[in-house]
Amino acid sequence: MKGIIFTEFMELVESNFGLEVLDQVLEASNDEGIYTSVGSYDHHALVKLIVNLSKTTDIPAEKLQEVFGETVFLNLLRTIPQKASLVKSDSCFQFIRHVEEYIHVEVKKLYPDAEPPRFEFISETESKLVMNYKSARCMSHVCFGLIKGCAKHFNQEVDIEMESLNESGSEVKFIVNLV
């Protein structure tokens, strides 16, 4: 997993819960908290940080992942080159399609060993998008939050349903309705 996800997570924890809570989470995770945005790290370390933040704050891990996804969306958007086609997206659904068609492709070119999540688009109308999310990292709640952040960016209100397609959570169907 790219280090930018780790650095963004730690910034979110520090700004929302304070440096003391971040230190407690790092200590409980046996993690020094030393990450660079361009480095690659085992996603299990992020899972451990989220679980220990959940224990420290009494907020469910799934909710923390959703908040993280929603919050980090704009920061990730800023890292996209202005010439990229997806910057020209004018709706949440169009942007989500471009993530699969552009960002995930570019990530694989830059980092051949990277394993970005995959989106399989099932159906789309003007008001409804149905897609399957597939990721060995099982972080569909972060994806949920990213979709919320994306919709907010485009001033669109969405209702999102998630349906797990397997026990591990590595495949999840998202039904996104514009409200």
Side-chain angles (χ1 to χ4, degrees):
M1 177 173 279
K2 296 317 296 172
I4 190 170
I5 301 299
F6 286 82
T7 59
E8 290 291 335
F9 177 77
M10 292 204 291
E11 286 178 26
L12 174 71
V13 173
E14 183 177 347
S15 66
N16 286 0
F17 300 102
L19 190 53
E20 186 177 314
V21 168
L22 177 58
D23 286 342
Q24 289 173 7
V25 170
L26 289 169
E27 187 176 320
S29 303
N30 198 24
D31 189 317
E32 294 181 12
I34 301 171
Y35 298 99
T36 64
S37 61
V38 294
S40 294
Y41 306 96
D42 186 338
H43 78 280
H44 291 102
L46 182 63
V47 170
K48 189 186 266 188
L49 292 168
I50 292 168
V51 167
N52 285 316
L53 178 61
S54 176
K55 290 176 183 176
T56 302
T57 62
D58 289 326
I59 298 172
E62 293 82 6
K63 183 66 179 164
L64 290 169
Q65 289 180 57
E66 290 172 17
V67 169
F68 173 62
E70 184 174 355
T71 304
V72 79
F73 176 81
L74 285 178
N75 292 343
L76 293 176
L77 181 63
R78 288 186 200 105
T79 67
I80 298 169
Q82 287 301 309
K83 65 181 181 183
S85 60
L86 80 153
V87 174
K88 297 170 181 64
S89 298
D90 58 9
S91 71
C92 178
F93 292 174
Q94 186 179 32
F95 188 90
I96 292 169
R97 279 197 170 276
H98 278 104
V99 166
E100 180 63 24
E101 296 162 0
Y102 177 80
I103 290 180
H104 292 165
V105 171
E106 292 299 312
V107 166
K108 287 295 286 178
K109 284 182 194 174
L110 290 170
Y111 309 101
D113 62 330
E115 295 179 28
R118 290 190 352 252
F119 301 153
E120 291 180 352
F121 298 100
I122 297 169
S123 65
E124 181 178 350
T125 66
E126 282 189 30
S127 61
K128 183 177 185 176
L129 174 68
V130 180
M131 67 178 198
N132 288 345
Y133 160 93
K134 295 184 176 192
S135 174
R137 294 182 188 92
C138 307
M139 300 189 87
S140 59
H141 289 276
V142 173
C143 183
F144 183 101
L146 286 165
I147 293 169
K148 283 177 61 177
C150 180
K152 187 182 280 186
H153 171 72
F154 288 104
N155 294 316
Q156 295 178 306
E157 188 176 338
V158 291
D159 177 55
I160 307 168
E161 298 174 41
M162 289 174 56
E163 176 186 328
S164 190
L165 299 176
N166 61 20
E167 279 188 37
S168 71
S170 64
E171 295 183 31
V172 176
K173 179 183 283 187
F174 281 92
I175 303 168
V176 185
N177 290 292
L178 290 177
V179 179

